[in-house]
Amino acid sequence: MTRPQNRGNSQPRWLFPFVVTVIFCLSVLPLGRLAATGIMSAFRGGASELLSDPGLWRSVYDTLSTSFFGMIAAVLLGGGFALLLTLFDIRGKALLGFLFMLPTMIPPQVTALSWIGMTGPSSALLKAIGLAPPLGSPQPLYSIGGIALLYGVQNAALVYLSLRAGLLALPRDAVEAARLSGASSFQVLKDVILPLSLPGFAAGAAIAFVSCVGNFGIPAILGIPAGIYTLPTLIYSKFAAFGPRTFADISVLSGLIAILSVIGLMVEARVLRGRDYRVIGLSGQVAVFRLGAWRWLAELLLWLTIFLILAMPLIALVASSLAPAYGVPLSPATVTIKAYEEILVRQAATRIAFTNSLSLSLATAFGLLVVTVLTGYFLVRSKSRFVGVISALAEIPYALPGIVLAVAFILLFAAPIPVIGISIYGTIWIILIAYFSSFFAVSLKPVVSAFRQLDPSLEEAARLSGAGFTRRLADILVPLVAPAAGASVILVFLIACNELTVSALLWSAGTQTLGVLIYNLDDSGSFNIAAALSVLVVIMVIAMMVALELMAKRLPKGVVPWRS
Amino acid sequence: MAKLILNRLSKTFDLGGRAAVNDVSLTVREGGFLALLGPSGCGKTTVLRMIAGFEQPSDGSILLGERVLADASEMVGPEHRNMAMVFQSYALWPHMSVAENVGYPLKVRGISGEKRERKVREALAAVHLETHADRRPADLSGGQRQRVALARCLVTEPDVVLLDEPLANLDRHLRQEMEETFREFHARSGATMIYVTHDQAEAMALATDVAVMSEGKLLQVATPEEIYARPEGRLVGGLVGQGAILSLPSPIGDKRLLDWPVVQGILGNRQEGPRTDILVRPQDVEIAAEGAAVTVLSVLFEGERYALRLALPDGQTLRAFSRHPVKVGDRLAIVIRSAWRL
């Protein structure tokens, strides 16, 4: 007979140490290293020089002001869309919702490029229709306002999702009870729905703020030419001008970003904590208000917004990519696909970047899946006291801005790894490990929700059938969570492929990613080639989002982030 | 095969919390069909899950014959117990066909080819589902799914088959059909079966032995006939059958089965003194020309008869049947042919 085991639960002995090791390597170690360096340099007094630099406080001020105004813009855009699409009888809701999500998934540097292509004296689009401002007039987006506006466009969907989730969770009977008490539609909206949806607004605003603080692509393209440095771009510029104090400085700077982010996340957690009363009563279907004669006006407004924040910039991007050079007017005579030829056929750099980004993203998506299936299983099935701590630690790297994580990995791997003595700094491996850490939570979430939905008796039946852990995993668990695992792979691939912030600090010759390449092309003045590459990236993003959208029906709730 | 012994079994989930299962000792004879009966939350499912190996006992032990399956320090995993279970939710794997579901325990045991196919075919034939072998569980009705789950138990000839409220999700018509299937299954397989339910009619109809549990404790184990006729204590008396429990002055002597003269004597006894719980089944209450005076509290027409709720002069209520319609508030006389002292 088999040796008796000393455990009643279904997990093999090695699972807990495995999960702890993974979390330690991907979360505790890099962030701990960052905190240690930051605290050490603060104590040694090295930080005082940095902290007395007026440039730093200028940059803190610019970060806060752009993020604050960006948050306001995101709340106005996202809140308006969420209220109109969720509460009123607008036609074409699904399509509008999907299109509204797109700007979030498009990489920020691409958003910035497309908006530049839409405004300013050199816009190929404006020139083509003869509306371009005279040469020499300033590019209006190279300003605090411009950065904030694009932050708003980029992060509006975060507010939209948060508020929409809150609105969908409103008990319908609360609305019906108010109606029966004699309240008019407007009164119900004002007295019941809006007060109850305030936490959603506040939480969405907080996440949008955190996301603005950590954004790198937009201020890098719009801010640096105008001498505006936010904290992430300040880190980037300090790192580019490498000096003896660089490590100490960037660890303090990323500590500042981390603190700002943690404050934002705490606000979010706090406002959402009070939201648990929501599940009482019938929820999931909000009473829909009729707009009557106003409906066409609301629909016009929504489509006009989509046109302005999505269609126009993308048209401008395509126009820029077809123009022979930056600033040359686009006309049937000048239209050319030279830029596409350049990136697809001629330039070795683009091929390398494509190969790097695709292989990094594939390796991250599939490699993480192996880890997250085991971790997800542990988190859902384990009765251990540490489950809460472990899932929180798994979330932190993704919640923190990518630039913070990148700095943490630089500090961790700047010296050769002890014991084995190999240095991965400057190789593609450091980017891969940073991706693993950064996107762990993205990969984990769909898998965890799939395991949560799985009836535990399905696994128990397999155990009684005599199947051991590996066998159950292969025959029962993995096939049953496969749809969610597929979604997890696509999501991680989508985000990793377009990522700029982490790789901007970690790349070196031969390891540049697509995000870095787009930024470098723009930086070196090859605007039309950068635009052409961006067009390809946008096409890829849309294709993958459509794929996820088509899968969504067969996935557990909460797997596809923009469906609720 | 051998008998299954639960020896002073206890389970506490939170350290220092209330015991979900408290000192349960029980022997299930080989080939027996034991029903674990009790209200929800009484610990019966925890007992079942400990037998299956999903939970480890906090104290006591579980033995199959001479082999110790589990005690507080060690346990054999469910994978190695040669048991099978029918779950309340059926627990069929949605990504496998019916035949694959049934054949999975064989596949895990390394049995393949012609032998596996034959065994799966036999098991499906036993539950009358031969023609559904290639379907997916999603295409089956509730009763059919339950039969597939049963076939999956049948296929490996397990030592013990556990059934966790298997009929809870089925409608009344299907329940009767499935009860028949379970009886057939028990007769055919000869396996020891343990059946958890909160439905006393189900337990009585199926089992060779009934164990009644409440608040983690085992109250009584006996055959269905015995437990109906001679329940021990107020809880079992209230749980089994539809009797009313009256609190009356203790009769003289230690006889427990009381006839009408004794009952009449204690009903008329007005003196203060020790009191006893007396179980009165409705079929033993007869409406007569003379007897104890009662008032009709409610009347429910059940088709073949009227079910009455009657009040004694001191306000205690009991149940009775009547062939003839009576009205609420009517005053009747009753004779209690037999009663059981709990």
Side-chain angles (χ1 to χ4, degrees):
Chain A
M1 261 303 129
T2 337
R3 186 169 53 89
Q5 308 169 252
N6 194 5
R7 324 184 44 156
N9 65 31
S10 54
Q11 302 144 30
R13 281 162 208 270
W14 51 265
L15 190 62
F16 181 66
F18 172 82
V19 170
V20 169
T21 312
V22 165
I23 297 290
F24 182 78
C25 291
L26 295 184
S27 174
V28 179
L29 197 59
L31 297 176
R33 182 73 174 82
L34 175 66
T37 311
I39 292 169
M40 253 156 53
S41 65
F43 274 118
R44 282 187 192 152
S48 64
E49 200 175 325
L50 175 71
L51 292 176
S52 59
D53 177 4
L56 169 73
W57 297 108
R58 175 84 225 156
S59 150
V60 169
Y61 176 77
D62 285 347
T63 309
L64 288 177
S65 55
T66 49
S67 301
F68 179 76
F69 290 119
M71 177 186 83
I72 302 283
V75 165
L76 290 177
L77 267 175
F81 258 75
L83 288 176
L84 281 173
L85 285 191
T86 317
L87 296 176
F88 296 98
D89 57 340
I90 304 284
R91 285 163 295 187
K93 283 180 180 181
L95 183 60
L96 276 167
F98 181 78
L99 292 175
F100 191 68
M101 292 311 302
L102 268 172
T104 305
M105 303 309 284
I106 292 175
Q109 71 276 22
V110 171
T111 308
L113 287 182
S114 58
W115 280 71
I116 290 178
M118 186 168 75
T119 56
S122 302
S123 161
L125 183 70
L126 292 184
K127 285 196 166 171
I129 52 176
L131 283 178
L135 275 177
S137 55
Q139 163 60 265
L141 291 174
Y142 289 168
S143 64
I144 297 279
I147 295 172
L149 174 68
L150 262 60
Y151 278 175
V153 169
Q154 182 94 43
N155 296 313
L158 298 176
V159 181
Y160 170 83
L161 285 177
S162 170
L163 182 57
R164 186 173 158 82
L167 289 173
L168 286 176
L170 281 184
R172 188 173 50 178
D173 26 15
V175 173
E176 285 167 354
R179 275 275 173 80
L180 288 173
S181 318
S184 71
S185 294
F186 178 71
Q187 280 170 319
V188 170
L189 195 64
K190 182 169 72 73
D191 296 337
V192 180
I193 293 178
L194 288 183
L196 282 175
S197 59
L198 267 182
F201 256 118
I207 327 174
F209 182 79
V210 172
S211 177
C212 294
V213 167
N215 198 309
F216 174 72
I218 290 171
I221 289 183
L222 299 184
I224 293 176
I228 300 169
Y229 285 90
T230 63
L231 287 171
T233 49
L234 187 63
I235 291 182
Y236 181 76
S237 67
K238 287 215 180 272
F239 196 66
F242 199 85
R245 285 200 309 124
T246 298
F247 280 166
D249 283 358
I250 61 174
S251 66
V252 171
L253 288 175
S254 47
L256 279 178
I257 300 178
I259 291 169
L260 288 178
S261 313
V262 168
I263 293 174
L265 293 171
M266 273 162 55
V267 169
E268 187 214 353
R270 200 177 166 78
V271 289
L272 285 185
R273 201 172 39 194
R275 213 200 230 176
D276 265 359
Y277 61 88
R278 67 198 161 136
V279 269
I280 306 165
L282 301 161
S283 63
Q285 185 147 30
V286 186
V288 169
F289 296 96
R290 289 179 188 286
L291 278 171
W294 295 95
R295 181 159 81 169
W296 67 268
L297 191 65
E299 286 170 351
L300 185 70
L301 190 69
L302 291 171
W303 282 107
L304 201 64
T305 313
I306 291 285
F307 182 74
L308 276 178
I309 65 169
L310 181 70
M312 275 279 285
L314 289 184
I315 293 170
L317 190 68
V318 174
S320 314
S321 75
L322 294 175
Y326 189 48
V328 177
L330 185 67
S331 69
T334 58
V335 101
T336 169
I337 55 162
K338 223 176 68 202
Y340 291 91
E341 277 174 19
E342 196 71 29
I343 49 172
L344 291 176
V345 189
R346 285 208 201 108
Q347 290 201 359
T350 29
R351 261 203 312 280
I352 293 170
F354 262 111
T355 318
N356 282 342
S357 266
L358 291 181
S359 45
L360 276 171
S361 314
L362 282 175
T364 309
F366 284 100
L368 267 182
L369 187 65
V370 175
V371 180
T372 47
V373 163
L374 291 169
T375 310
Y377 177 82
F378 172 80
L379 289 178
V380 173
R381 288 283 186 272
S382 171
K383 292 169 193 156
S384 161
R385 284 170 290 147
F386 302 110
V387 166
V389 180
I390 288 176
S391 52
L393 286 174
E395 292 280 336
I396 291 175
Y398 184 64
L400 286 179
I403 196 100
V404 175
L405 212 64
V407 169
F409 277 96
I410 289 172
L411 297 174
L412 193 60
F413 289 118
I417 304 168
V419 186
I420 49 173
I422 299 170
S423 176
I424 64 166
Y425 187 73
T427 68
I428 204 155
W429 299 103
I430 189 171
I431 305 182
L432 185 66
I433 294 182
Y435 278 9
F436 262 62
S437 168
S438 189
F439 305 131
F440 186 66
V442 180
S443 170
L444 185 63
K445 195 168 177 251
V447 177
V448 165
S449 36
F451 273 126
R452 286 244 157 81
Q453 286 206 339
L454 207 61
D455 181 357
S457 66
L458 290 175
E459 196 197 351
E460 287 170 355
R463 295 190 78 189
L464 278 176
S465 302
F469 180 70
T470 326
R471 185 91 207 216
R472 293 200 296 278
L473 205 60
D475 291 349
I476 309 292
L477 296 172
V478 169
L480 290 178
V481 300
S488 150
V489 165
I490 298 182
L491 266 178
V492 172
F493 184 84
L494 178 66
I495 298 174
C497 221
N498 296 318
E499 183 282 333
L500 166 64
T501 322
V502 173
S503 48
L505 286 193
L506 296 179
W507 76 280
S508 59
T511 67
Q512 63 265 57
T513 60
L514 275 178
V516 170
L517 183 67
I518 293 177
Y519 176 66
N520 287 350
L521 281 171
D522 172 62
D523 205 32
S524 62
S526 312
F527 186 78
N528 52 339
I529 299 182
L533 196 53
S534 302
V535 169
L536 297 182
V537 165
V538 170
I539 291 172
M540 193 169 72
V541 169
I542 295 177
M544 277 187 281
M545 282 181 68
V546 168
L548 276 174
E549 184 74 19
L550 294 178
M551 285 171 74
K553 274 196 208 97
R554 308 195 320 175
L555 293 171
K557 242 185 127 142
V559 165
V560 181
W562 58 86
R563 303 260 303 201
S564 49
Chain B
M1 257 185 262
K3 60 186 174 186
L4 180 75
I5 302 161
L6 311 185
N7 182 24
R8 311 207 59 171
L9 201 59
S10 292
K11 176 75 187 177
T12 313
F13 282 105
D14 317 309
L15 216 62
R18 201 175 64 90
V21 174
N22 191 352
D23 201 12
V24 167
S25 293
L26 185 65
T27 301
V28 190
R29 63 190 164 77
E30 190 180 326
F33 191 147
L34 175 87
L36 267 176
L37 175 66
S40 57
C42 74
K44 55 191 193 299
T45 297
T46 309
V47 170
L48 196 76
R49 291 177 62 81
M50 282 195 280
I51 296 173
F54 298 135
E55 307 283 353
Q56 183 161 20
S58 314
D59 201 3
S61 56
I62 302 172
L63 292 95
L64 189 63
E66 300 289 297
R67 180 182 170 210
V68 179
L69 291 183
D71 57 30
S73 59
E74 286 191 300
M75 69 183 259
V76 180
E79 297 90 320
H80 310 296
R81 292 194 174 194
N82 196 28
M83 292 186 179
M85 183 155 169
V86 176
F87 293 83
Q88 190 173 342
S89 59
Y90 321 123
L92 298 181
W93 301 300
H95 60 296
M96 299 183 187
S97 71
V98 165
E100 283 166 340
N101 263 284
V102 173
Y104 187 70
L106 299 173
K107 188 176 158 195
V108 171
R109 285 166 172 75
I111 299 165
S112 58
E114 167 58 24
K115 192 174 175 200
R116 182 160 92 206
E117 271 171 44
R118 181 171 48 77
K119 287 204 165 208
V120 169
R121 232 178 8 251
E122 282 170 8
L124 282 176
V127 295
H128 314 296
L129 280 176
E130 310 91 308
T131 52
H132 293 60
D134 296 324
R135 302 245 190 122
R136 295 266 157 183
D139 303 331
L140 303 181
S141 69
Q144 287 170 329
R145 288 182 206 179
Q146 194 62 281
R147 299 220 296 271
V148 176
L150 204 56
R152 186 171 63 187
C153 290
L154 199 65
V155 81
T156 49
E157 292 157 22
D159 294 331
V160 180
V161 177
L162 308 166
L163 302 108
D164 184 12
E165 307 237 11
L167 302 184
N169 289 337
L170 298 180
D171 62 41
R172 195 205 297 222
H173 170 72
L174 265 173
R175 278 169 185 236
Q176 280 177 355
E177 201 182 305
M178 284 307 297
E179 278 179 17
E180 192 50 49
T181 313
F182 287 146
R183 254 195 303 273
E184 225 176 78
F185 174 84
H186 180 236
R188 173 200 291 266
S189 66
T192 306
M193 289 173 73
I194 300 181
Y195 187 106
V196 159
T197 178
H198 64 269
D199 182 332
Q200 48 116 358
E202 221 171 270
M204 300 289 207
L206 285 168
T208 57
D209 297 276
V210 178
V212 183
M213 284 187 70
S214 175
E215 298 187 338
K217 288 210 170 75
L218 186 63
L219 301 178
Q220 187 177 4
V221 191
T223 61
E225 293 81 3
E226 170 87 5
I227 222 158
Y228 187 82
R230 309 169 64 84
E232 291 289 346
R234 215 184 148 88
L235 279 165
V236 183
L239 208 60
V240 176
Q242 300 185 315
I245 297 169
L246 304 176
S247 175
L248 296 172
S250 300
I252 299 145
D254 52 5
K255 259 180 66 170
R256 300 189 66 183
L257 192 62
L258 314 173
D259 57 8
W260 172 236
V262 178
V263 177
Q264 192 173 28
I266 57 176
L267 275 175
N269 187 347
R270 294 272 173 271
Q271 284 166 359
E272 293 292 321
R275 295 174 87 86
T276 279
D277 289 332
I278 310 273
L279 175 71
V280 180
R281 303 259 186 224
Q283 67 271 29
D284 296 328
V285 178
E286 209 170 87
I287 295 165
E290 286 186 20
V294 290
T295 316
V296 179
L297 285 181
S298 68
V299 182
L300 192 67
F301 181 53
E302 290 183 338
E304 61 272 19
R305 67 194 176 192
Y306 295 86
L308 315 179
R309 233 157 58 80
L310 309 169
L312 291 169
D314 65 357
Q316 298 196 67
T317 60
L318 71 169
R319 297 160 48 89
F321 299 129
S322 163
R323 288 174 152 276
H324 308 291
V326 290
K327 279 205 281 296
V328 174
D330 280 357
R331 304 183 69 82
L332 303 173
I334 53 160
V335 168
I336 297 171
R337 288 290 166 213
S338 116
W340 175 256
R341 183 172 167 185
L342 288 167

